[in-house]
Amino acid sequence: MKRVLIALLAGLLPLTALALSGEEVMKKSQAAFLYPGKDFKARVVMKLVTKDGQERVREMTMLRKNIGEAGGEQKYFMYFFQPADVKDMTFMTYKYPAKDDDRWMFIPAINMVKRIAAQDKRSSFVGSDFTYEDVSGRDIEDDAHTIEREDKVGGADCYVVKSTPKAGDADFGYKLTWVSKANFLPLKEEQYDRKGAQYKLFTADEIKDVKGFPTVMRRTMKNVQTGHHTEVSYTKADYDLGLEDSLFSERFLRQPPRKWIE
Amino acid sequence: MTKKFSLVEFSTHRPKLVLMLAGLITLLFFTQFPKIRTDTNPKHMLPETSDVRVWNDRVDKDFALYEDTIVVGVENDVGVLNQETLARIARITDAILALPGVASRDVNGFTTITNVTAEEGTLKVGPLMPAAPKSDADVAALKKALFGNPLFLDRVISKDGKTTAIYVPLEKGANGAEIADKIREIVAREKGPERYYIAGDPVARDTFGAEMFKLMAIFSPIAGGIMFAAIQFMFRNLALSAAMMGVSMVAIIWSMGLLIGVGLPVHIMSSMAPVFLMAIATDSIHIFNEFYFRYREHGDKLAAIRETMAAVSRPVRFTALATAAGFAVLLFMNIIPVKVFGGLIAFGTVVLRLLSFSFIPAVLTFVREDKLAGAAEDAAQDRVARLLGRMAAFGAGRPGLTVAIAAALVAVSVWGTSKIHVNNNLVAWFKAGSEIRVADTAMNRALGGTSLGYVVVESKDADFMKRPEAMRWIEGLQHHLEKLPVVGKTFSVADYVKRINRVLHDDDAKYDVVPDTHDTIGQYLFLFSMSAKPADLDNVVDQGFTKANVWVQMKTWDADAMREVIAATEAYHKANPLPAIVKPAGSAYFNLVWNEEVLGDMVRGLSLALVVVLAILALDFRSLKWALVAYMPLLLTILLIYGVIGITGKDFDMPLSVLSTLSLGMAVDFAIHFVSRFRSRRADAPDGETVEQSLAWTAARPGKGIMRNAILFAAAFSVMMAAPLTPYVAVGAFIVSMMLLSALLTLVLLPALVMLGRRWLVDEPLSTAAPATSH
């Protein structure tokens, strides 16, 4: 009897010793999902689909450059192709950990660059079901993370991490993230509202290796309460292109170099 | 010898069996009552496939709108913009957001509504007041933001700063009454000088439902009780009074049991059925009335029962037939609740007739003779009967004058009827002091208006709404509509565009205009959508920017207000052509449409029923001439009612249209009794009795039944005038006047008409017209 118990404990021992905490899993996940490479470029097609199938399309080129380590500062640059009347609009974000982002927008019709306040990271990104946080990440320190259980998503082993906001400012009560054990990409995420009802569902629909980095090429965010969903696909994606820091400036907001946005 | 089965004979021979059977069937129908469902949603008056519902559903979908929104008003006499009140508002909003059934993402109040501002060169799109202000400077900043943004004025802040509102949309299928109760609990927790108002469509609807139940459960029985007392006073015999009430109760239980049993919900209209059936049931008073006279004459109870039934059977049968047919006509109308209502009353009337020939004779056999002796009547000695006889004598003696007066009344009524104003106001169904009316009045005084309609502008071209000319057209429409006194506030996508234009240009009022190019508009809206709630834009433009939705808040729930908005919109469109279809929508529009449809259906149904009733009268009397005479009290009653409505300027609304059909059940009954009995009297009158004398006799004897019937009912239903819902008050008031009016018309006008048309009517051979009563 005792021996069986010891054997059981012994069997468990290596596992517990190697096990990651919820916070570590989320840190690794953030690094794999939002920080791979020194920089990144993608051509993005975003489809906003209503409950009864009406579509709106946004098309853009997205550039990202990491300034420091994973979890550190980043700069984003977006150039819009679609809808037609917003062509040449550009959008730039300096993302800082534990501090409000800086955002700028160029409005070509009136030839104006305007700073945009980033008071609400939980607001919708260009009218889609993704919030700014869903796109560029939420500070790990804002939530308490625990591994709830382990599960499989489409055959891949996952940690299921429950993240609960420490302060009450978030519009969600908690979220569950299915993080792949193999590449630490989030394969699925369920967001629950403050009443405990599920309201958003994220799924990573297609993953491809690009220059050795597993990259989510297609993803969907669905608002299960309204039935509205947004599909995002990368038609082109590349890493480590050597984006200069000077690209992320007001001058290039007005006139982005062709080679970077095409 | 084959004798035809006689229900009366059977019932007097096996009275116990008949009563037991009636009791058993009643019990059976009664078992259905616990399954009762009410449906007070006016939307369900029209089928889901009706044009207006299909259209409104599509508009809701296209613009991500909610069917139901509760509005929570907060009022503080010293103004709501102070730290304490704002902290309360923040707490209340937070608690509301956590309520199940509330579409939290789209709740709009100070803490959640999207604000667009520019501070130190930075464009800010986000919640107006993310947290309660901590300093007076914060409060001042909030005040500036509120009054500097026309999108907020009259929507979340009143011009005097004393009132704000929280708009709480509900998820589909959420229980509005429950949520409203929880909101009441939430605001009750706050101790402060603020006053709170809970208003909106779902609240009104559910309150109406609750009150409706109260009326069915309390007022109908009280009315029944008074009727019981009145019968007891008239006949001084408990068994008879009980039988009379029993008949109406049994008919009500059968009818409502059937309605509930087949799974139909009780609607606003069908909730009035018990009252209607009670009214129609009083027809059996003629049986008792005659029975008492007969018993007095012969002293033999069983013989009196038989004779009574023989004498009144024809009029009772035909009044039932006329009433049932009149209401059955409603079955062929379009609106489901109108059909249900018609079917219900028709069924109840048939049940009543069945009971008149079984239940009542059975009860009469149990009446103890010694009790009868004292109470039985003699027309000659009866003061009331004498008075009635004199009334008829007046009509008969001065027929020309009587008919002239009637003709004058008709003329006035026709003129009055032409002035009838069709309108309806759901909130006005509640009394002035009711919580709903108080809340509605306060909110309408302070803010843009609680009644919401939409004007939808539809084009075929994608991105049409981004064109400056379309934007300017919408802006112009808003200016045009806001000139109407009933319109408190409008808003549209143009307001957002103008706001952004201004904010991007350092809040310069010069830029509070629609920009000149399509691209600018497109980019502004894109910019707005980068940070706003998705619903902000979705509510005013569709996904492809082919359609726009202009919100029109009205300060009154009058259907007229929406009618004015539609007319003004059409006029504006005509003067300012735009290649787009412009259509009204929203709950205010729906209220307008369903009211018109229900009202139209009722009026069409009534007109058709009047024709059917005339045909039945002709069939009954086997004479079109007599039918026309007997028709006059009915026609005049309806005309006079419509005339009075028109002259007094009271809006002709749905409840009144329902009510006017009651005349089918009453006025025609009186006339049938009068004419039938008069003619059978003529057939076996003592030799030498003049027509005048026969008329006086008819007015004195069956006429007493008519008068009893009328007074009984007027007394009982005067109670309804104390009801908390105005449609029921109207029912009470009109039943009272209708009863007295039709009785009077029958007793005075009919004799006059008979005298005037004496040669034409009376001198014809009566052989086939009315079978002689068995003497």
Side-chain angles (χ1 to χ4, degrees), chain B residues 63-256:
Chain B
F63 298 104
L65 301 165
Y66 293 91
E67 231 179 270
D68 282 332
T69 299
I70 293 178
V71 185
V72 183
V74 183
E75 189 183 51
N76 189 344
D77 290 336
V78 298
V80 291
L81 298 176
N82 62 74
Q83 286 186 49
E84 294 74 38
T85 304
L86 291 170
R88 285 192 189 102
I89 292 169
R91 271 197 303 274
I92 290 168
T93 314
D94 232 35
I96 290 173
L97 290 178
L99 290 179
V102 167
S104 310
R105 59 193 169 277
D106 291 328
V107 168
N108 272 327
F110 281 172
T111 58
T112 54
I113 199 164
T114 306
N115 188 22
V116 184
T117 52
E119 280 162 34
E120 292 151 14
T122 301
L123 178 75
K124 216 164 146 184
V125 180
L128 169 68
M129 180 185 96
K134 299 272 187 302
S135 68
D136 287 344
D138 287 351
V139 174
L142 175 70
K143 191 169 181 178
K144 196 171 153 252
L146 274 168
F147 287 98
N149 188 339
L151 281 161
F152 295 145
L153 218 55
D154 282 339
R155 191 156 161 241
V156 290
I157 189 74
S158 63
K159 286 196 184 76
D160 60 8
K162 289 178 183 169
T163 310
T164 179
I166 307 165
Y167 297 85
V168 185
L170 308 184
E171 302 279 12
K172 234 186 171 76
N175 184 333
E178 249 172 50
I179 293 170
D181 279 343
K182 285 194 184 128
I183 294 176
R184 282 190 195 97
E185 282 169 30
I186 290 168
V187 299
R189 286 204 291 266
E190 300 293 341
K191 307 279 174 250
E194 295 84 3
R195 278 186 302 277
Y196 300 96
Y197 302 109
I198 318 280
D201 241 5
V203 183
R205 203 165 60 220
D206 293 315
T207 311
F208 194 90
E211 296 285 1
M212 199 173 95
F213 251 124
K214 221 187 278 171
L215 276 164
M216 278 198 298
I218 300 171
F219 275 82
S220 300
I222 291 179
I226 292 182
M227 237 163 84
F228 183 82
I231 301 168
Q232 182 63 21
F233 175 75
M234 287 176 188
F235 295 104
R236 296 176 204 287
N237 187 305
L238 208 58
L240 282 189
S241 313
M244 179 94 189
M245 290 314 294
V247 167
S248 57
M249 286 302 141
V250 165
I252 290 168
I253 291 171
W254 286 23
S255 311
M256 296 309 278

Side-chain angles (χ1 to χ4, degrees), chain B residues 459-474:
Chain B
S459 153
K460 285 193 194 70
D461 306 335
D463 283 344
F464 181 81
M465 292 309 155
K466 290 179 184 166
R467 295 186 195 167
E469 66 268 24
M471 261 315 149
R472 291 208 182 98
W473 191 91
I474 290 172

